[in-house]
Amino acid sequence: MKAKYITIIDIARQLNISKSTVSRALTGHPNVKEHTRKAVMELASSMEYQRNSLALGFSKHNTNTIGIMVPEFMSTYFPSVIVGVQDVMQAAGYNVVICQQNESYESEVSNMKLLLSYRVDGIIVSHTKETRNFDHFTLAQRRGVPLVFFNRVPEDMNVPNVIVNDYEAAFQAVEHLIRIGRRRIAHLAGPESLVNTRLRRQGYLDALKKHGIAHNPDLMLSYDLTTEKVKIYMKHFLELDTPPDALFAINDPTAIAAMEVVKAKGLRIPEDIAIVGFSNDFSAGLVHPGLTTVAQPTSEIGRTAAEMLLQEMRAKVKNDYTIKKAPTVQLSTRLIIRESTVPEEKSKKMVKSK
Amino acid sequence: MKAKYITIIDIARQLNISKSTVSRALTGHPNVKEHTRKAVMELASSMEYQRNSLALGFSKHNTNTIGIMVPEFMSTYFPSVIVGVQDVMQAAGYNVVICQQNESYESEVSNMKLLLSYRVDGIIVSHTKETRNFDHFTLAQRRGVPLVFFNRVPEDMNVPNVIVNDYEAAFQAVEHLIRIGRRRIAHLAGPESLVNTRLRRQGYLDALKKHGIAHNPDLMLSYDLTTEKVKIYMKHFLELDTPPDALFAINDPTAIAAMEVVKAKGLRIPEDIAIVGFSNDFSAGLVHPGLTTVAQPTSEIGRTAAEMLLQEMRAKVKNDYTIKKAPTVQLSTRLIIRESTVPEEKSKKMVKSK
DNA sequence: CTGTTAGCGCGTTCAT
DNA sequence: ATGAACGCGCTAACAG
């Protein structure tokens, strides 16, 4: 059941001219008689000629296609970054191929090889939570395929990337909790493999320190981002002799899952325990009470990463990041205060005073 | 800044053998001396040889790649269908390229041409809300590229597809509203271009009819799925002389946006107005009150579509759907009752009694 | 078991 | 203004 496509040879035969002429007419080469060009164009369109990008990329050594690799599709974060990437890339005449890894390292390696085997011109990446070995990324670099990372950036690689101010954002979020009078602030951190985890945790620790609150190791746990674990750990927190009066969660899904546990226990949010998330997922504004969280400029992250990649791809001489510092763009976040930390009336006042 | 890849010729030269032998060794052809094979494999891996799928697909006329085209990424519906597709396709040795159209007809046409120009072996599609012309799809069929539709299926095309029982699901949802005593049931329908819109609307109308409730045209509006319009129309409904006591929304984002309007007006859900959505998006369980909605088996939809596509691609003789009825699989939905129609205690009872 | 050759579709010289 | 010939990387058919 082979597909059947029209080629420039078919067109050439019908018109009794050479395929070179057809090729020239189709690509807008100046040296083609107007009459001939018109005939070619008309026949091509009536035969629904569809150019073969494989053949083209094959001989030209570039495909006008970039890949984007994201770890998951379950929150709205990555899809909206992708929309930003597509905006810019489409305008620049590039096609975007999306690969989604389901947080699996294996998928990531095989998808990377897939993209390389299809000779994409560049790749935008956020790695999985399982990724500890980065050989598949350096392989791309060695092959001269530009990479731009965002959100989850490997610490040991010198590579262009787009990030947000995770440390400050976490610091501010925790400071917000302290300002509203909380002292026993728990932190559900992410996996050690993610640089975000470490930055946000440091922000958490330093905010406590600044305000003279001793860090209680019992109130901090790293976990693997699965819902089941949140439930276990959150229950554990709540059953401590002196349970926390606030929670800073690594991301919104974590915060939302934690809220479920709190509500199931019959505790009140924010009165008994205030909760802050991270990223301002679509659902953060929908849960009850609304989730205080750190908003990330998702579509701008995507657009910025795309623009950085375009620069890399357009560079006449490949940037050698073994000898040169790779560019980093840090975008700003914004703390969104909702009812999970400040009850209704109060929160309205705070927004106004902003 | 051209990328530089190793080819089988490089390997052949180093080993002083012909590229055919290298090719055979690499592809596991039986007629290669063990010694030679080993040498090839070792060199290939130490040089980090990465096969060129372009060249392969180019000469073999198939790419082991399928495309999936979805209209949007804003709800969790399409991403989770995609995860199902990937499951099946990965196991079958296919690569999946995802295209997202932002609900734009133009993007759809250009992405379709993109996929065709890359000679994908098959395509899974849900079309945009703007799509009224289906030539780009029939083009694929004429080229012998199998298509499988899901969710948004063109009515005039005889093409394999995976759908849910939209009509019955809508019927049951509305019947549920009637059972809890509602009579003035409004319906926010989707764009006329979507077959879902028509089926769900018919289910709505027939449920009213069955229960002897006259259809009030003032209570039914079609709209373009943008949040701004929901707000306008919902306000309009609520300001009618005799406003509705229930709303059946075409999908969950619509229902959730409508809930905002209701709450802003100071009305109670479900006491003043009960609300039902469609699809059981992730956020449906998070909003307050929880949204009663029709759950779709998203990942099963994806897996089923993928399996249908595999069958099409594997068919020795291409199925000619101009003369033969295309297969349809209809999957079942399930009405999930939450607090947007039945207050807390009551809804718990109903779940138990199930 | 291995080497040689042809061909996939296209753009691109190099001739004419 | 046009045609002929080549090459991109790989597999397959054919010839040893």
Side-chain angles (χ1 to χ4, degrees), chain B residues 8 19-20 23 49 56:
Chain B
I8 54 171
K19 64 180 180 144
S20 307
S23 168
Y49 166 78
L56 192 66

Side-chain angles (χ1 to χ4, degrees), chain A residues 102-267:
Chain A
N102 258 329
E103 290 285 16
S104 144
Y105 167 72
E106 262 185 49
S107 287
E108 188 173 88
V109 173
S110 93
N111 276 328
M112 174 53 91
K113 296 204 165 150
L114 172 67
L115 290 178
L116 290 181
S117 86
Y118 277 100
R119 301 299 189 258
V120 294
D121 298 338
I123 307 179
I124 294 176
V125 191
S126 194
H127 68 74
T128 78
K129 70 181 183 192
E130 293 181 351
T131 310
R132 278 142 215 273
N133 176 325
F134 298 93
D135 290 351
H136 49 306
F137 296 131
T138 58
L139 170 62
Q141 292 186 307
R142 274 180 309 236
R143 286 292 167 265
V145 179
L147 249 43
V148 172
F149 278 81
F150 72 98
N151 185 290
R152 300 187 186 175
V153 180
E155 268 185 322
D156 306 335
M157 275 177 78
N158 181 32
V159 63
N161 62 75
V162 181
I163 51 173
V164 296
N165 53 343
D166 283 287
Y167 172 83
E168 288 81 10
F171 189 96
Q172 284 167 25
V174 174
E175 209 164 36
H176 166 66
L177 289 170
I178 297 172
R179 288 230 179 82
I180 61 169
R182 308 302 161 124
R183 286 296 173 275
R184 295 186 50 81
I185 301 172
H187 179 37
L188 263 178
E192 292 303 321
S193 53
L194 304 184
V195 63
N196 293 347
T197 293
R198 294 193 285 279
L199 290 171
R200 294 179 196 171
R201 183 172 51 204
Q202 200 55 51
Y204 160 79
L205 292 172
D206 288 357
L208 292 182
K209 191 187 247 174
K210 177 182 165 192
H211 291 270
I213 301 175
H215 165 53
N216 178 348
D218 290 346
L219 291 181
M220 190 168 82
L221 285 168
S222 285
Y223 91 113
D224 62 0
L225 303 182
T226 63
T227 310
E228 311 85 67
K229 290 285 175 55
V230 183
K231 303 223 155 135
I232 295 172
Y233 290 154
M234 197 58 205
K235 249 185 102 187
H236 165 76
F237 279 150
L238 297 178
E239 285 165 1
L240 288 174
D241 287 341
T242 42
D245 54 14
L247 171 73
F248 170 49
I250 182 77
N251 61 23
D252 287 351
T254 302
I256 291 171
M259 284 171 68
E260 297 291 319
V261 178
V262 173
K263 287 195 246 175
K265 276 248 171 214
L267 297 172

Side-chain angles (χ1 to χ4, degrees), chain A residues 77 151 164-177 200 247-253 255 275-282 284-285 291-298 301 331-338 340-341 354:
Chain A
Y77 178 83
N151 185 290
V164 296
N165 53 343
D166 283 287
Y167 172 83
E168 288 81 10
F171 189 96
Q172 284 167 25
V174 174
E175 209 164 36
H176 166 66
L177 289 170
R200 294 179 196 171
L247 171 73
F248 170 49
I250 182 77
N251 61 23
D252 287 351
I275 298 186
V276 176
F278 208 107
S279 289
N280 196 26
D281 275 11
F282 180 62
L291 179 64
T292 293
T293 186
V294 175
Q296 296 202 43
T298 48
I301 292 171
L331 299 174
S332 299
T333 55
R334 195 163 47 90
L335 183 66
I336 309 244
I337 296 169
R338 296 202 182 88
S340 72
T341 57
K354 253 199 161 175

Side-chain angles (χ1 to χ4, degrees), chain A residues 1-6 47-58 60-65 73-74 76 78-80 82-83 86-87 90 95-102 107 110-121 135 139 142-146 253 256 260 263 282-283 285-288 312-319, chain B residues 1-6 47-58 60-65 73-74 76 78-80 82-83 86-87 90 95-102 106-107 110-111 113-121 135 139 142-146 253 256 260 263 282-283 285-288 312-319:
Chain A
M1 204 232 57
K2 295 264 148 133
K4 209 183 146 11
Y5 286 91
I6 305 295
M47 293 179 83
E48 298 185 301
Y49 167 77
Q50 198 64 55
R51 94 177 186 186
N52 185 332
S53 298
L54 257 61
L56 193 67
F58 177 45
K60 297 233 300 180
H61 287 281
N62 69 49
T63 53
N64 257 31
T65 302
F73 259 7
M74 289 303 97
T76 55
F78 290 108
S80 42
I82 290 174
V83 171
Q86 284 180 321
D87 274 358
Q90 204 157 336
N95 310 125
V96 178
V97 170
I98 304 162
C99 293
Q100 187 272 125
Q101 338 295 350
N102 258 329
S107 287
S110 93
N111 276 328
M112 174 53 91
K113 296 204 165 150
L114 172 67
L115 290 178
L116 290 181
S117 86
Y118 277 100
R119 301 299 189 258
V120 294
D121 298 338
D135 290 351
L139 170 62
R142 274 180 309 236
R143 286 292 167 265
V145 179
I256 291 171
E260 297 291 319
K263 287 195 246 175
F282 180 62
S283 41
L286 301 176
V287 290
H288 183 80
E312 296 290 319
M313 294 191 298
R314 284 168 179 164
K316 296 282 176 289
V317 200
K318 187 176 156 29
N319 293 311
Chain B
M1 205 232 56
K2 295 264 148 137
K4 208 181 147 15
Y5 286 91
I6 306 295
M47 295 178 82
E48 298 186 300
Y49 166 78
Q50 197 65 54
R51 94 179 186 183
N52 186 331
S53 297
L54 258 59
L56 192 66
F58 178 47
K60 298 236 297 178
H61 287 281
N62 68 50
T63 52
N64 257 31
T65 302
F73 259 7
M74 289 303 98
T76 55
F78 290 108
S80 40
I82 290 174
V83 171
Q86 284 180 320
D87 273 358
Q90 205 158 336
N95 311 124
V96 178
V97 170
I98 304 163
C99 293
Q100 188 271 125
Q101 338 296 347
N102 259 328
E106 261 185 51
S107 288
S110 91
N111 276 329
K113 295 203 167 152
L114 172 67
L115 290 177
L116 290 181
S117 85
Y118 277 99
R119 302 297 190 258
V120 294
D121 297 341
D135 289 352
L139 171 62
R142 269 170 287 160
R143 286 291 166 266
V145 179
I256 291 171
E260 297 291 320
K263 288 195 246 174
F282 180 62
S283 41
L286 302 175
V287 290
H288 183 78
E312 297 289 318
M313 294 190 299
R314 284 167 178 164
K316 297 279 177 292
V317 202
K318 186 176 157 29
N319 292 310

